Amino acid sequence: MVACINKYFINSNIHTHSHYCDGKGDLSDYVNFAILNGIKIIGFSSHAPINYPNHFSIKVEKIRDYVDEIRKLSLLDKEKIQLFAALECDYIPHFSFPFSDFRAYCLDYLIGGVHLVENTDTKQLWFIDGPLRSEYDRGLKDVFDNDIRKGVTRYFYQIMEMIETQNFEVLAHFDKIKMHNAGRYFSEDDNWYRKLCLEVISLLKSREIIVEINTRGIYKKRCPDFYPSVFILENLLKNKIRITLSSDAHQPEELRLLLDDAALYAKNIGFKEIWQPCSDRHWISVSI
């Protein structure tokens, strides 16, 4: 785990959840907290709807209200803060909607991620996220018969399918599959695991996708490291793949958590810049 530092002041967060999905607080609560704490950019990114019963995604009928509220707040405080409207889209074969469907809502960008891993033989889903390690363990047993290599391989293949078939700007928490592993089922030093990570990176090389460094695992005390790991980031750098920083905030007080630490983490690996959204759906680089 990286120690807290004060050398940097990262003033943006591009991955943010609110009451519209599984976060807490109104959009205005985030904006007020951000302005009081010197944050200049918020990208709101509610979980997009999926065709699967869940408690965490925004309702289809609420998306228009969500985007409209972001635009109205943006006009009210445009001298103090920039607000962007986005969705975090889950990719689950047979259950997720095409990401392109959400472009109709005039969003500024889309984040793509995998939280539920499909066993392609049985069509069962393994939920790898959430606060409960026991649920991860139960899903591994029930869906993949405790075959961790099969489950992890399917996770990364699902990410690669998402990259190949969907259109989105940011890849969320590259290696979130490690969160509840806690060194029990596999090692990130295993050759087969690293090979899978390199396959994803090879595929990213031919795309314009930005990879986030996500701090949530650490500050929620679910993972001792950022997503992604040093090995992955070193290879992203080697392949000239752009990065951004996010706290994956689910309440206003989480907007800046460990972002300065993540900036130092990236700088120590060799990155010289991060990318942030700006107007007209473009992204700009900011030196670190």
XYZ file of all heavy atoms in Angstrom, residues 237-288:
425
model
N 2.714 1.536 -19.885
C 3.672 2.592 -20.223
C 4.519 2.191 -21.420
O 4.709 2.976 -22.360
C 4.557 2.882 -19.011
C 5.643 3.943 -19.199
C 5.026 5.313 -19.462
C 6.559 3.994 -17.971
N 5.022 0.967 -21.396
C 5.860 0.469 -22.483
C 5.123 0.520 -23.822
O 5.714 0.769 -24.878
C 6.286 -0.975 -22.169
C 7.300 -1.561 -23.136
C 7.594 -3.021 -22.799
C 8.120 -3.185 -21.378
N 8.457 -4.601 -21.070
N 3.819 0.313 -23.772
C 3.012 0.290 -24.999
C 2.304 1.618 -25.274
O 1.441 1.693 -26.142
C 1.991 -0.840 -24.913
C 2.624 -2.205 -25.089
O 2.907 -2.626 -26.198
N 2.881 -2.891 -23.979
N 2.691 2.653 -24.519
C 2.200 4.015 -24.749
C 0.677 4.113 -24.650
O 0.027 4.813 -25.431
C 2.696 4.542 -26.099
C 4.204 4.604 -26.197
C 4.668 5.116 -27.538
C 6.190 5.165 -27.597
N 6.676 5.637 -28.927
N 0.119 3.403 -23.682
C -1.324 3.447 -23.441
C -1.603 4.498 -22.369
O -0.947 4.538 -21.334
C -1.845 2.055 -23.029
C -1.678 1.083 -24.209
C -3.303 2.127 -22.585
C -1.870 -0.373 -23.861
N -2.554 5.352 -22.642
C -2.853 6.485 -21.758
C -3.546 6.028 -20.467
O -4.250 5.017 -20.464
C -3.746 7.493 -22.486
C -3.080 8.123 -23.696
C -4.057 9.028 -24.437
N -5.169 8.266 -24.990
C -6.288 8.821 -25.473
N -6.436 10.140 -25.460
N -7.253 8.063 -25.953
N -3.364 6.821 -19.424
C -3.997 6.518 -18.135
C -4.764 7.734 -17.618
O -4.502 8.876 -18.012
C -2.974 6.070 -17.066
C -1.957 7.184 -16.781
C -2.296 4.771 -17.471
C -1.136 6.963 -15.524
N -5.697 7.477 -16.728
C -6.391 8.506 -15.972
C -6.477 8.036 -14.525
O -6.120 6.900 -14.216
C -7.788 8.794 -16.570
O -8.343 9.961 -15.955
C -8.732 7.610 -16.374
N -6.928 8.901 -13.628
C -7.036 8.561 -12.217
C -8.479 8.676 -11.762
O -9.194 9.591 -12.185
C -6.178 9.498 -11.357
C -4.705 9.649 -11.722
C -4.043 10.653 -10.786
C -3.981 8.321 -11.659
N -8.901 7.772 -10.899
C -10.253 7.889 -10.338
C -10.297 7.269 -8.954
O -9.540 6.349 -8.639
C -11.278 7.204 -11.240
O -11.423 5.851 -10.910
N -11.233 7.780 -8.146
C -11.456 7.182 -6.833
C -12.681 6.281 -6.844
O -12.992 5.661 -5.832
C -11.644 8.273 -5.767
O -12.853 8.975 -5.978
N -13.392 6.231 -7.989
C -14.600 5.383 -8.069
C -15.522 5.721 -6.896
O -16.023 4.850 -6.189
C -14.174 3.917 -8.035
C -15.231 2.944 -8.537
O -16.400 3.366 -8.694
O -14.902 1.768 -8.745
N -15.741 7.021 -6.702
C -16.465 7.501 -5.518
C -17.921 7.062 -5.523
O -18.597 7.130 -6.552
C -16.396 9.019 -5.449
N -18.397 6.631 -4.349
C -19.806 6.276 -4.166
C -20.487 7.180 -3.136
O -21.653 6.968 -2.794
C -19.935 4.812 -3.742
C -19.767 3.846 -4.878
N -18.601 3.723 -5.590
C -20.639 2.955 -5.440
C -18.753 2.790 -6.530
N -19.976 2.327 -6.465
N -19.750 8.153 -2.639
C -20.318 9.203 -1.786
C -19.381 10.413 -1.888
O -18.204 10.256 -2.253
C -20.493 8.736 -0.347
C -19.262 8.170 0.307
C -19.605 7.496 1.631
O -20.708 7.007 1.841
N -18.648 7.491 2.544
N -19.884 11.605 -1.637
C -19.079 12.806 -1.884
C -17.706 12.793 -1.217
O -16.709 13.214 -1.825
C -19.962 13.932 -1.336
C -21.363 13.427 -1.494
C -21.269 11.942 -1.215
N -17.627 12.296 0.007
C -16.365 12.334 0.759
C -15.284 11.457 0.134
O -14.111 11.540 0.528
C -16.610 11.902 2.206
C -17.501 12.853 2.997
C -18.986 12.717 2.673
O -19.374 11.712 2.029
O -19.762 13.616 3.044
N -15.650 10.630 -0.826
C -14.663 9.746 -1.463
C -14.072 10.342 -2.743
O -13.211 9.721 -3.368
C -15.320 8.395 -1.791
C -15.753 7.618 -0.560
C -16.537 6.345 -0.876
O -16.911 6.124 -2.055
O -16.779 5.576 0.056
N -14.492 11.534 -3.114
C -14.097 12.095 -4.411
C -12.586 12.206 -4.614
O -12.099 12.019 -5.725
C -14.726 13.479 -4.605
C -16.137 13.519 -5.175
C -16.699 14.939 -5.110
C -16.165 13.007 -6.612
N -11.847 12.523 -3.553
C -10.407 12.739 -3.735
C -9.560 11.652 -3.083
O -8.334 11.762 -3.073
C -9.981 14.088 -3.143
C -10.441 15.304 -3.935
C -9.504 16.494 -3.788
N -8.205 16.224 -4.362
C -7.113 15.960 -3.658
N -7.139 15.913 -2.344
N -5.976 15.725 -4.271
N -10.160 10.623 -2.548
C -9.405 9.673 -1.731
C -8.291 8.983 -2.531
O -8.521 8.295 -3.516
C -10.336 8.630 -1.119
C -11.273 9.150 -0.023
C -12.085 8.015 0.572
C -10.489 9.876 1.084
N -7.056 9.203 -2.071
C -5.830 8.574 -2.579
C -5.478 8.938 -4.024
O -4.617 8.305 -4.624
C -5.898 7.041 -2.440
C -6.008 6.504 -1.009
C -6.019 4.975 -1.018
C -4.885 7.012 -0.125
N -6.105 9.971 -4.577
C -5.757 10.356 -5.945
C -4.339 10.911 -6.036
O -3.624 10.652 -7.012
C -6.764 11.368 -6.485
C -8.165 10.831 -6.754
C -9.056 11.934 -7.303
C -8.139 9.650 -7.726
N -3.911 11.663 -5.024
C -2.533 12.159 -5.026
C -1.547 10.996 -4.930
O -0.489 10.998 -5.566
C -2.310 13.122 -3.865
C -3.083 14.423 -4.039
O -3.518 14.711 -5.164
O -3.269 15.139 -3.040
N -1.898 10.013 -4.120
C -1.050 8.811 -4.003
C -0.961 8.080 -5.341
O 0.102 7.589 -5.735
C -1.627 7.872 -2.945
C -1.783 8.546 -1.598
O -2.701 9.375 -1.479
O -0.989 8.264 -0.691
N -2.089 8.007 -6.034
C -2.105 7.334 -7.338
C -1.251 8.086 -8.351
O -0.592 7.477 -9.202
C -3.539 7.203 -7.844
N -1.229 9.413 -8.246
C -0.389 10.209 -9.139
C 1.093 9.900 -8.911
O 1.863 9.728 -9.868
C -0.658 11.695 -8.937
N 1.498 9.808 -7.645
C 2.882 9.465 -7.342
C 3.201 8.043 -7.792
O 4.288 7.766 -8.324
C 3.147 9.614 -5.848
C 4.574 9.291 -5.405
C 5.576 10.214 -6.075
C 4.697 9.393 -3.887
N 2.271 7.137 -7.573
C 2.395 5.739 -8.005
C 2.692 5.694 -9.504
O 3.633 5.019 -9.950
C 1.074 5.066 -7.673
C 0.867 3.609 -8.022
C 1.513 2.584 -7.342
C -0.064 3.251 -8.999
C 1.248 1.252 -7.615
C -0.338 1.920 -9.287
C 0.324 0.928 -8.599
O 0.048 -0.393 -8.877
N 1.909 6.446 -10.281
C 2.105 6.466 -11.728
C 3.430 7.123 -12.104
O 4.156 6.631 -12.976
C 0.945 7.195 -12.395
N 3.749 8.223 -11.414
C 4.990 8.943 -11.721
C 6.213 8.084 -11.429
O 7.183 8.077 -12.192
C 5.040 10.246 -10.919
C 6.181 11.168 -11.308
C 6.084 12.477 -10.550
C 7.254 13.403 -10.905
N 7.175 13.885 -12.303
N 6.191 7.344 -10.338
C 7.318 6.483 -9.993
C 7.525 5.366 -11.006
O 8.639 4.869 -11.186
C 7.115 5.893 -8.600
C 7.338 6.912 -7.491
O 7.955 7.966 -7.714
N 6.843 6.626 -6.303
N 6.451 4.948 -11.650
C 6.555 3.917 -12.693
C 7.119 4.506 -13.972
O 7.752 3.798 -14.763
C 5.175 3.269 -12.915
C 4.838 2.370 -11.703
C 5.115 2.453 -14.205
C 3.413 1.903 -11.655
N 6.929 5.806 -14.176
C 7.480 6.461 -15.356
C 6.492 7.290 -16.157
O 6.877 7.938 -17.137
N 5.231 7.300 -15.749
C 4.253 8.124 -16.455
C 4.527 9.602 -16.164
O 4.868 9.977 -15.046
C 2.829 7.769 -16.013
C 2.341 6.458 -16.556
C 2.455 5.299 -15.803
C 1.763 6.384 -17.821
C 2.012 4.077 -16.297
C 1.313 5.171 -18.327
C 1.437 4.011 -17.565
N 4.333 10.423 -17.172
C 4.553 11.856 -17.031
C 3.258 12.649 -17.127
O 3.249 13.859 -16.868
C 5.533 12.351 -18.099
C 6.896 11.684 -18.011
C 7.867 12.291 -18.988
C 9.209 11.551 -18.985
N 9.788 11.390 -17.642
N 2.174 11.984 -17.494
C 0.908 12.689 -17.664
C -0.266 11.756 -17.418
O -0.138 10.533 -17.519
C 0.804 13.275 -19.081
C 0.858 12.210 -20.163
C 0.973 12.779 -21.561
O 1.198 14.001 -21.710
O 0.841 11.996 -22.533
N -1.386 12.378 -17.056
C -2.655 11.668 -16.989
C -3.619 12.387 -17.934
O -3.341 13.504 -18.384
C -3.237 11.635 -15.566
C -3.487 13.055 -15.050
C -2.326 10.845 -14.636
C -4.279 13.122 -13.763
N -4.746 11.757 -18.211
C -5.702 12.323 -19.157
C -7.011 12.637 -18.464
O -7.477 11.877 -17.619
C -5.902 11.365 -20.332
C -4.664 11.308 -21.184
C -3.526 10.610 -20.911
C -4.422 12.027 -22.387
N -2.577 10.839 -21.883
C -3.105 11.705 -22.813
C -5.186 12.905 -23.167
C -2.549 12.239 -23.975
C -4.624 13.431 -24.330
C -3.320 13.104 -24.720
N -7.580 13.787 -18.833
C -8.838 14.251 -18.255
C -9.791 14.663 -19.380
O -9.353 15.128 -20.436
C -8.598 15.467 -17.353
C -7.727 15.202 -16.150
C -7.436 16.474 -15.365
O -7.562 17.576 -15.878
N -7.045 16.316 -14.111
N -11.097 14.523 -19.152
C -12.051 14.986 -20.167
C -12.065 16.510 -20.234
O -11.785 17.193 -19.257
C -13.397 14.443 -19.662
C -13.219 14.308 -18.190
C -11.785 13.958 -17.966
N -12.354 17.013 -21.422
C -12.544 18.452 -21.583
C -13.769 18.653 -22.478
O -14.569 17.735 -22.636
C -11.300 19.130 -22.152
S -10.848 18.593 -23.806
N -13.939 19.799 -23.043
C -15.141 20.074 -23.827
C -15.159 19.294 -25.139
O -14.125 18.816 -25.619
C -15.241 21.572 -24.115
O -14.087 22.010 -24.805
N -16.350 19.188 -25.713
C -16.550 18.558 -27.023
C -16.058 17.117 -27.079
O -15.553 16.650 -28.102
C -15.869 19.378 -28.132
C -16.418 20.795 -28.213
O -17.644 20.951 -28.057
O -15.623 21.726 -28.421
N -16.180 16.415 -25.969
C -15.851 14.988 -25.896
C -14.400 14.669 -26.220
O -14.067 13.570 -26.653
C -16.789 14.183 -26.815
C -18.251 14.355 -26.427
C -19.173 13.505 -27.265
N -20.555 13.844 -26.979
C -21.596 13.333 -27.611
N -21.412 12.463 -28.577
N -22.817 13.690 -27.291
N -13.538 15.621 -26.012
C -12.110 15.397 -26.169
C -11.482 15.184 -24.794
O -12.066 15.526 -23.764
C -11.449 16.584 -26.880
C -11.821 16.709 -28.314
N -12.631 17.703 -28.792
C -11.517 15.931 -29.386
C -12.820 17.558 -30.087
N -12.151 16.494 -30.469
N -10.255 14.644 -24.810
C -9.497 14.452 -23.582
C -8.162 15.185 -23.721
O -7.586 15.245 -24.811
C -9.247 12.958 -23.331
C -10.497 12.211 -22.990
C -11.554 11.956 -23.816
C -10.840 11.642 -21.712
N -12.535 11.260 -23.138
C -12.123 11.048 -21.848
C -10.191 11.564 -20.489
C -12.754 10.394 -20.805
C -10.820 10.907 -19.438
C -12.097 10.325 -19.601
N -7.684 15.750 -22.624
C -6.409 16.457 -22.641
C -5.481 15.844 -21.609
O -5.911 15.271 -20.617
C -6.592 17.972 -22.360
C -7.265 18.180 -20.998
C -7.399 18.631 -23.474
C -7.262 19.632 -20.549
N -4.177 16.025 -21.859
C -3.191 15.499 -20.919
C -2.817 16.567 -19.896
O -2.802 17.761 -20.182
C -1.944 15.037 -21.668
O -1.317 16.133 -22.310
N -2.545 16.096 -18.681
C -2.129 16.958 -17.578
C -0.847 16.372 -16.991
O -0.782 15.180 -16.675
C -3.221 17.036 -16.494
C -2.753 17.888 -15.329
C -4.516 17.578 -17.079
N 0.171 17.166 -16.853
C 1.457 16.684 -16.336
C 1.338 16.302 -14.862
O 0.605 16.934 -14.105
C 2.541 17.756 -16.508
O 2.750 18.042 -17.870
N 2.084 15.278 -14.480
C 2.158 14.895 -13.068
C 3.611 14.908 -12.613
O 4.513 14.893 -13.414
C 1.530 13.510 -12.798
C 2.154 12.427 -13.704
C 0.046 13.554 -13.006
C 1.693 11.021 -13.364
